[in-house]
Amino acid sequence: MSKSLVIVESPAKAKTINKYLGSDYLVKASMGHVMDLPKKELGVDVEHGFRPTYNAIPARKEVIADLKSAASKANSIYLAADPDREGEAICQHLHELLHSGKRKFHRVLFNEITRDAVRAAFEHPKEIDSHLVNAQQARRILDRLVGYQVSPLLWEKVKRGISAGRVQTVALRLIVEREREIQAFQKKEYWTITALVEGKNPPEFEARLAKYQGKDIEIPDQASADQVTAAIKAATLVVQSVTTKEKRKFPVPPFITSKLQQEAVRKLRFWAKKTMMVAQHLYEGVELPGEGAVGLITYMRTDSTRVAEGALTAVRGYIKEKFGDGYLPDQAIHYKSKKDAQDAHEAIRPTDVLRTPESLRKILGPDEYKLYKLIWQRFVASQMNPAIFDQTTVDIAAGDYTLRATGSVEKFKGFLAVYEEGRDEKEGVEEDEELKRRLPAVAEGERLKLNKLTPEQHFTEPPPRYNEATLVKALEEKGIGRPSTYATILSVIQNREYVEKNQGRFFPTQLGMLVSDMLVKNFSDIFDVAYTARMEEELDEVEEGKLSWTDALEDFYKKFKKELRQAERHMEDIKGEGIPTDVKCEKCGKPMVIRLGRNGPFMACTGYPDCDGTSDLPPALAAKYASASPPAPEVAAENCEKCGKPMAVKRGRFGYFLACTGYPECHNTKKIIIKEGNATAVGDQPLEEKCPECGNHLVIKHGRYGQFTACSNYPKCKYIKRETLGIPCPEKGCTGELMARRTRFKTTFYGCTRYPDCKFTSRDKPVAEPCPNCGSPILVEKFNKKTGETVRRCPNEACTFERAVA
């Protein structure tokens, strides 16, 4: 008897679904997309309705063969990819690859991977949604048209290997424009005056100057502050009014994708990509004792705040039992989604509210637990009554001036018993502090004693640089990208080295500022924020069946083709002619141009090769084109121990370091380590051991990936000592030893000292213990976060040996 074939994207999802369907179904994973546009050509016929050419992805060759084999034995095929545009496109491509008149295809959709949701989906299968497929295809072609036609232009004019993206360039533009705002910002002085006063009833409390003769007051300088301070000190302080009113603070809706990413940055210090990876795992299924793999949250790519009625009933029952009737609204709260939200999915919530975070604490890994707790708390809080405060405002007359004190008393905790939303910046923090103050009982007409009067100088601050939370928020508010794209956007602009992150903030690099300026100047429409947002709306209209996907592409390509031709003619050629300036070469007097080097923009003489004059950018141009890098760390002044010359802070590809000013005669450098805001220069640490190649002492150096041992006679001697594990390489015939290595992402892996001749690697730590099953010369050791156990297993994929380490 033939089985029905079910195809999902990932093995984890397959494992979870398989246990709900029984023996009549065979569940397999496609490992994501199986078809895509070709890598080495445009793959879009722009002259004939933007017809795309899709090829099977080479890396999926074996997966596709396996799926075809399974499909040939099945009477029905159920396509169960994720319920979004990408998932629908995967289903369409699978249908094209596996299509046969003998087999029926069904599309099954579920918002959560639970027994009831999966079974309901299979009882009521659907057809593939062509509108969703067209929307995904339109986005893919849009991105291909921009990437494959603008990137070569950048290679020709700016630098080989860099690239442009339709949405990512707009995100970069936001970061660069924010940097320019910061550069142009001029701080403004202002003063505040705070009085510490005391009435008949303790305790003393603070009141801040608010008005002069009934109008808001600004104090611009110290002279004005001194004048106001003297007047208040000379005046009699009398309570003018006491106003108490009830204030309610309402809960926020359950998470949508963008809000989850923002809150995970604020509270968990997760970057957007990590948030989505952890959420994907929670969605696809986690092994629970006695239950097997269970999906713990609903689908995590959504911009809808809608919640299923069954989930609302369950959470209301939980709130009533756990907190009592006072915390439960008379009716379930239904939140309104934003105007352009796609309401096909629910908000992100736990699949079962009775699975509390504490009940899963020992089962989930640390990151999974933190994110699940955040999702669970926000969902429960979203269906609770508001918090209630008595807010009191006391106005105090001091002659012509009015001082104001604000405080509050919490009457009812409400949803705050479970959850309170984080904040992005300093906005509202001062207000929150005032609301937390408790004021003593005072009466109108009561005279107060002035205990202290404090004038304080302040300066206005520039807008803060974006962090991941505020950038996602900006993209969402401006309509740039969609829930499934935010994490990718942030990753791409960093991977392309257009921006760098320091202490959580985005700084545009020199390359990023140049590329952004050139693209925005030459493609004024395509990389315009409003235009990109409109394209997102058009893709939504395609998804809804209101707009033809080819019409959307036709309108876009008309503008794009025109701007592309103009850019080919007029874009500045930094690699060739450079960007012209009015600066004259100090050597020969000829005009200088801006060129892009390994370490960023620099000035070069147009008389090259007859004149090799170069220089740094002058201040005016540096402000426009130079890197907006984090400020150099302050390190205690010191002289080079090798030659006696002063050491200076320098910046290289991998950050700041201390270098001898005697370079190139002296190559002495020290790594700068920043810990808790303090910068320390760490030099080489001498060892008694001698270099086997030149006889000089070895030293411990501090490199990009950590400490290593090398010759003190560098660069004349480039010997580096290999720190091995003392375990022979298990590869047959290899004479090397295994050693720990570090990736550029600072993760550890293990490899052979004879690399690249021997390419053995292992993510898990090798142990000098033979496998009792297959005789492999080593085992590998791994810590299981879920169970808290350390296990040793055989690295041979064909061997199943594994045992716990006592």
Side-chain angles (χ1 to χ4, degrees):
M1 179 178 177
S2 60
K3 294 184 178 183
S4 294
L5 174 64
V6 182
I7 306 176
V8 297
E9 297 105 308
S10 73
K13 190 174 176 182
K15 183 179 180 182
T16 306
I17 290 173
N18 189 55
K19 71 169 192 170
Y20 298 142
L21 296 178
S23 59
D24 291 337
Y25 295 87
L26 173 65
V27 186
K28 286 188 171 289
S30 71
M31 307 304 291
H33 282 277
V34 290
M35 298 180 75
D36 198 5
L37 298 173
K39 274 194 172 184
K40 295 184 178 180
E41 56 185 279
L42 183 64
V44 179
D45 188 346
V46 295
E47 302 297 330
H48 298 89
F50 300 95
R51 187 167 59 238
T53 300
Y54 286 107
N55 296 328
I57 298 172
R60 300 284 184 271
K61 183 178 179 181
E62 292 183 6
V63 171
I64 293 170
D66 184 44
L67 291 176
K68 285 183 174 180
S69 174
S72 67
K73 303 168 188 173
N75 55 4
S76 294
I77 298 176
Y78 291 84
L79 305 171
D82 287 342
D84 57 14
R85 294 175 187 171
E86 295 298 323
E88 212 69 21
I90 291 172
C91 291
Q92 177 62 33
H93 292 156
L94 285 167
H95 181 272
E96 292 172 12
L97 284 172
L98 308 177
H99 180 68
S100 168
K102 299 177 182 178
R103 293 183 289 276
K104 292 183 179 179
F105 282 80
H106 307 279
R107 174 70 166 119
V108 287
L109 293 159
F110 34 82
N111 190 55
E112 58 185 66
I113 305 178
T114 59
R115 185 180 302 276
D116 291 344
V118 170
R119 288 183 173 177
F122 276 80
E123 288 170 6
H124 305 284
K126 303 177 184 296
E127 299 293 325
I128 294 173
D129 188 330
S130 61
H131 296 317
L132 274 174
V133 174
N134 289 339
Q136 189 276 343
Q137 181 166 266
R139 175 185 288 281
R140 185 74 185 94
I141 292 173
L142 279 172
D143 293 341
R144 174 57 67 99
L145 291 173
V146 174
Y148 269 55
Q149 296 188 64
V150 177
S151 296
L153 188 61
L154 291 177
W155 301 348
E156 179 188 342
K157 305 281 189 178
V158 184
K159 184 181 179 181
R160 186 77 187 172
I162 63 175
S163 57
R166 183 180 63 88
V167 179
Q168 293 90 338
T169 298
V170 179
L172 172 63
R173 178 179 183 172
L174 295 180
I175 295 170
V176 170
E177 288 179 349
R178 174 60 59 87
E179 194 63 39
R180 295 267 161 75
E181 283 183 67
I182 295 169
Q183 290 174 349
F185 181 81
Q186 294 183 348
K187 63 183 180 181
K188 183 180 177 183
E189 181 184 5
Y190 71 98
W191 288 69
T192 58
I193 296 177
T194 305
L196 189 63
V197 298
E198 185 178 357
K200 295 177 183 177
N201 299 309
E204 60 184 8
F205 60 98
E206 286 186 350
R208 180 168 287 190
L209 177 63
K211 294 180 181 294
Y212 172 69
Q213 294 182 347
K215 296 181 179 179
D216 292 340
I217 182 174
E218 289 186 6
I219 306 173
D221 49 43
Q222 186 171 359
S224 303
D226 291 342
Q227 183 180 347
V228 173
T229 300
I232 293 175
K233 283 181 177 178
T236 300
L237 272 61
V238 180
V239 176
Q240 192 175 30
S241 65
V242 180
T243 306
T244 300
K245 60 181 179 181
E246 187 176 271
K247 181 176 180 178
R248 291 175 175 243
K249 188 171 184 177
F250 291 88
V252 287
F255 281 125
I256 59 176
T257 303
S258 60
K259 293 294 187 285
L260 175 63
Q261 291 173 350
Q262 292 168 47
E263 194 74 338
V265 172
R266 298 180 194 121
K267 290 192 170 182
L268 307 180
R269 298 294 183 263
F270 286 6
W271 59 94
K273 186 176 181 180
K274 178 176 180 177
T275 299
M276 297 310 291
M277 287 171 61
V278 176
Q280 181 93 25
H281 190 203
L282 293 172
Y283 165 70
E284 291 186 337
V286 174
E287 289 287 336
L288 300 183
E291 297 184 72
V294 176
L296 296 182
I297 64 169
T298 53
Y299 191 55
M300 64 285 157
R301 293 185 180 94
T302 177
D303 53 7
S304 170
T305 55
R306 181 177 61 82
V307 175
E309 290 301 320
L312 290 176
T313 301
V315 72
R316 284 174 58 80
Y318 176 84
I319 293 167
K320 182 174 182 178
E321 181 180 340
K322 180 72 175 177
F323 297 96
D325 289 333
Y327 285 82
L328 187 67
D330 293 336
Q331 295 180 333
I333 304 173
H334 293 85
Y335 292 93
K336 189 175 181 181
S337 297
K338 60 181 183 178
K339 177 180 69 172
D340 56 350
Q342 304 300 297
D343 205 45
H345 313 135
E346 289 187 58
I348 305 169
R349 62 167 176 83
T351 55
D352 184 351
V353 73
L354 298 181
R355 287 196 184 96
T356 64
E358 285 307 309
S359 70
L360 301 174
R361 185 160 200 162
K362 294 181 179 178
I363 300 167
L364 300 178
D367 292 341
E368 294 165 343
Y369 168 75
K370 290 174 186 175
L371 194 65
Y372 180 78
K373 182 179 180 182
L374 200 64
I375 294 167
W376 186 91
Q377 287 177 328
R378 176 120 166 181
F379 175 60
V380 173
S382 72
Q383 290 299 320
M384 296 175 75
N385 274 324
I388 303 175
F389 301 85
D390 272 342
Q391 182 177 322
T392 301
T393 302
V394 178
D395 281 354
I396 304 163
D400 288 336
Y401 297 95
T402 303
L403 304 171
R404 176 167 291 169
T406 305
S408 69
V409 176
E410 184 181 273
K411 291 171 63 178
F412 176 64
K413 205 164 189 68
F415 78 95
L416 293 177
V418 177
Y419 173 85
E420 182 170 11
E421 188 176 31
R423 291 184 182 270
D424 289 320
E425 308 291 352
K426 295 179 181 178
E427 58 184 31
V429 173
E430 191 173 286
E431 178 187 349
D432 287 350
E433 289 301 317
E434 286 186 358
L435 290 177
K436 290 175 183 176
R437 294 182 192 139
R438 300 194 62 165
L439 300 177
V442 293
E444 289 185 18
E446 181 180 341
R447 295 181 66 168
L448 303 176
K449 178 184 175 184
L450 178 62
N451 291 340
K452 188 178 180 183
L453 195 62
T454 307
E456 190 173 357
Q457 182 188 40
H458 306 273
F459 292 93
T460 54
E461 295 182 354
R465 291 180 177 89
Y466 289 111
N467 60 21
E468 290 215 355
T470 54
L471 184 56
V472 168
K473 184 178 180 181
L475 293 171
E476 180 189 22
E477 289 174 347
K478 296 177 187 297
I480 307 301
R482 283 296 179 261
S484 61
T485 64
Y486 295 135
T488 303
I489 291 169
L490 270 57
S491 295
V492 167
I493 58 176
Q494 291 177 81
N495 293 340
R496 290 177 178 169
E497 297 184 353
Y498 290 158
V499 302
E500 60 185 12
K501 212 160 41 168
N502 183 274
Q503 296 182 341
R505 301 282 173 177
F506 287 115
F507 291 77
T509 62
Q510 300 157 324
L511 178 63
M513 295 180 86
L514 268 172
V515 169
S516 176
D517 285 357
M518 294 176 73
L519 291 177
V520 170
K521 179 181 177 181
N522 290 279
F523 296 89
S524 55
D525 278 339
I526 303 307
F527 297 126
D528 177 71
V529 173
Y531 182 80
T532 305
R534 175 58 194 146
M535 283 307 305
E536 294 291 353
E537 291 173 2
E538 290 194 3
L539 291 174
D540 291 344
E541 290 172 11
V542 171
E543 180 174 327
E544 294 161 10
K546 297 177 181 177
L547 179 67
S548 161
W549 70 275
T550 53
D551 288 347
L553 288 173
E554 188 70 43
D555 290 343
F556 170 85
Y557 197 65
K558 282 179 184 176
K559 287 190 176 191
F560 176 63
K561 186 165 62 173
K562 180 181 177 182
E563 290 193 340
L564 183 64
R565 287 173 180 166
Q566 290 177 340
E568 288 171 346
R569 292 195 298 268
H570 303 301
M571 182 182 279
E572 296 93 338
D573 187 354
I574 299 178
K575 285 177 71 175
E577 299 172 357
I579 300 176
T581 72
D582 296 329
V583 180
K584 302 296 182 183
C585 176
E586 293 181 359
K587 285 189 173 183
C588 70
K590 289 184 178 180
M592 301 192 81
V593 293
I594 298 173
R595 294 191 184 279
L596 186 66
R598 286 183 61 190
N599 296 316
F602 67 98
M603 304 295 295
C605 181
T606 53
Y608 182 84
D610 297 328
C611 177
D612 61 356
T614 61
S615 68
D616 293 334
L617 270 62
L621 289 173
K624 183 177 182 180
Y625 291 112
S627 172
S629 302
E634 294 184 7
V635 182
E638 60 178 276
N639 291 331
C640 175
E641 64 271 21
K642 292 186 178 180
C643 71
K645 292 185 178 179
M647 302 282 281
V649 176
K650 301 284 186 181
R651 188 171 188 274
R653 288 177 60 202
F654 310 122
Y656 289 103
F657 63 97
L658 207 61
C660 180
T661 55
Y663 180 86
E665 288 77 17
C666 180
H667 288 77
N668 190 23
T669 61
K670 294 185 178 182
K671 185 175 181 178
I672 295 177
I673 297 175
I674 300 175
K675 190 174 183 181
E676 298 180 355
N678 298 317
T680 307
V682 181
D684 297 344
Q685 300 173 27
L687 299 173
E688 292 298 323
E689 190 177 351
K690 297 289 185 71
C691 173
E693 293 188 5
C694 72
N696 282 281
H697 283 280
L698 297 181
V699 292
I700 296 175
K701 289 181 172 287
H702 298 266
R704 182 185 175 194
Y705 301 122
Q707 296 182 355
F708 65 99
T709 302
C711 182
S712 59
N713 198 26
Y714 178 86
K716 291 180 181 179
C717 177
K718 296 181 179 178
Y719 171 78
I720 296 176
K721 183 180 179 182
R722 305 284 188 177
E723 301 288 347
T724 71
L725 303 177
I727 301 173
C729 177
E731 289 291 316
K732 190 174 181 180
C734 181
T735 57
E737 289 189 23
L738 300 185
M739 62 179 291
R741 296 181 180 273
R742 297 268 279 179
T743 69
R744 65 190 181 98
F745 301 110
K746 298 185 179 179
T747 57
T748 300
F749 73 101
Y750 301 88
C752 181
T753 54
R754 294 188 65 248
Y755 177 86
D757 295 328
C758 176
K759 292 184 169 58
F760 172 84
T761 59
S762 171
R763 294 176 64 182
D764 302 324
K765 185 178 180 180
V767 180
E769 179 181 334
C771 174
N773 277 12
C774 69
S776 168
I778 64 166
L779 297 178
V780 291
E781 195 168 272
K782 186 173 184 178
F783 177 73
N784 190 321
K785 291 181 180 179
K786 294 179 182 178
T787 63
E789 291 183 328
T790 298
V791 297
R792 287 184 181 176
R793 61 178 180 81
C794 182
N796 183 358
E797 292 182 0
C799 181
T800 59
F801 175 77
E802 181 176 302
R803 68 174 178 83
V805 179

